[in-house]
Amino acid sequence: MGTADAVPGVSGGTIALITGIYDRLIAAITAASPALARRALDGLLGDRDQLREVWTDVDGAFLLALGAGIATAILTVTRALHVALETAPVLTYGFFFGLIGASAVVLRDEFRADSPARIAAAVAGIVLAFVASGRASAALGETALATFLAGAVAVSAMILPGISGSLLLVILGQYERMTEALSLFVDALLASVTGGPTATVVETGVPVVAFLAGGVVGLLTVAHAVRAALAARREATLAFLIGLIVGALRAPVTRVGEEVAAWTATVAGEFAVAAAFGALLVVGVDRLAGGVDLE
């Protein structure tokens, strides 16, 4: 799931479906509540039985093991992707384009344009993602608040099959920045172990902490809101989410345009080859999953 969440277009939720842990994951995440937090606080203040009950209610052992695996994968994959973005941006963004485009294709059965509301929701998603893909980077900036909001949006998406949190970071113009921030933080942390300055750890850790804090809030709020929307207006919500994917296809093209002087035949060819590879990867994952079913 961590590897999938690190690349735009592939959803960690899809991997959860493939491995058969999706229902257990959703149950564990949605078990969190203010009442549960109060019980956990009581447990930390001395009521060990209460603390054990809370640990059981949130399936703590499962979340701990899963979280460790996700964190390990994200730390390694994002470093590789950061290097790829620095050294081969055309190929990397072309790969992302294929991942995103194929994700929309494999979810086509979830979209039924049989009512004005669903069509309007899909168009709204396309327009929102298309506009945001060209302007969000400048609009959000690099403040702690922008990082917090990016974390809230991206992490809340990781539990939805077919919707990638990294894709939303690309739309928001925060993907490259966050992969770099995470790499710098890990480098500073490792350097401090061997005698490096701790001040660097604190400095590079600010955006990472802000992102994680936003992620926690996102899981406890945005994810619940999305699930409520799916329960109330399932088809329209899915149409909107799929529209976001389609509109996001602008993002990798825009990023390549920022990296190269002009779109030449060579650039377009490299982009297309990488996109084809990314598309094949998503189709392969979908076949392995037996087709994404968002029921």
Side-chain angles (χ1 to χ4, degrees):
M1 283 185 66
T3 301
D5 287 325
V7 294
V10 183
S11 168
T14 298
I15 304 302
L17 278 176
I18 294 172
T19 54
I21 64 170
Y22 184 72
D23 290 339
R24 187 175 180 183
L25 173 62
I26 295 301
I29 291 175
T30 54
S33 66
L36 194 74
R38 288 193 295 270
R39 289 171 54 201
L41 181 59
D42 291 340
L44 290 173
L45 294 177
D47 190 343
R48 299 305 179 189
D49 291 335
Q50 185 82 287
L51 192 60
R52 279 192 290 270
E53 288 178 8
V54 170
W55 180 258
T56 301
D57 288 345
V58 298
D59 207 350
F62 166 74
L63 287 180
L64 181 62
L66 184 66
I70 290 174
T72 300
I74 288 177
L75 288 174
T76 54
V77 174
T78 52
R79 177 176 293 275
L81 289 173
H82 174 60
V83 173
L85 287 167
E86 290 288 327
T87 58
V90 175
L91 290 174
T92 305
Y93 280 118
F95 177 67
F96 290 172
F97 185 91
L99 292 174
I100 296 167
S103 293
V105 172
V106 300
L107 287 171
R108 65 189 181 278
D109 291 337
E110 299 293 335
F111 174 62
R112 298 174 181 84
D114 54 2
S115 74
R118 294 171 193 174
I119 295 173
V123 171
I126 292 172
V127 171
L128 178 61
F130 185 85
V131 173
S133 296
R135 300 181 181 179
S137 180
L140 280 181
E142 299 183 0
T143 64
L145 178 59
T147 306
F148 178 88
L149 292 175
V153 172
V155 175
S156 65
M158 67 180 267
I159 64 169
L160 296 172
I163 309 298
S164 165
S166 292
L167 166 62
L168 297 182
L169 285 181
V170 171
I171 294 174
L172 295 173
Q174 299 292 314
Y175 182 80
E176 188 170 356
R177 172 175 168 255
M178 288 314 303
T179 56
E180 179 181 15
L182 186 57
S183 295
L184 290 175
F185 174 67
V186 172
D187 288 343
L189 199 60
L190 293 175
S192 69
V193 175
T194 57
T198 56
T200 306
V201 176
V202 175
E203 180 183 351
T204 57
V206 170
V208 176
V209 172
F211 184 86
L212 292 176
V216 171
V217 172
L219 280 177
L220 298 178
T221 57
V222 180
H224 285 268
V226 172
R227 287 187 60 78
L230 284 170
R233 297 293 298 273
R234 180 178 182 77
E235 292 79 8
T237 304
L238 287 175
F240 177 77
L241 293 173
I242 295 170
L244 284 179
I245 298 176
V246 175
L249 286 169
R250 178 187 182 187
V253 177
T254 300
R255 302 297 178 265
V256 170
E258 295 171 352
E259 296 288 341
V260 299
W263 276 88
T264 64
T266 300
V267 170
E270 292 178 354
F271 188 90
V273 169
F277 182 75
L280 287 173
L281 178 61
V282 172
V283 171
V285 170
D286 182 59
R287 290 287 181 85
L288 183 61
V292 175
D293 183 1
L294 299 185
E295 290 295 340

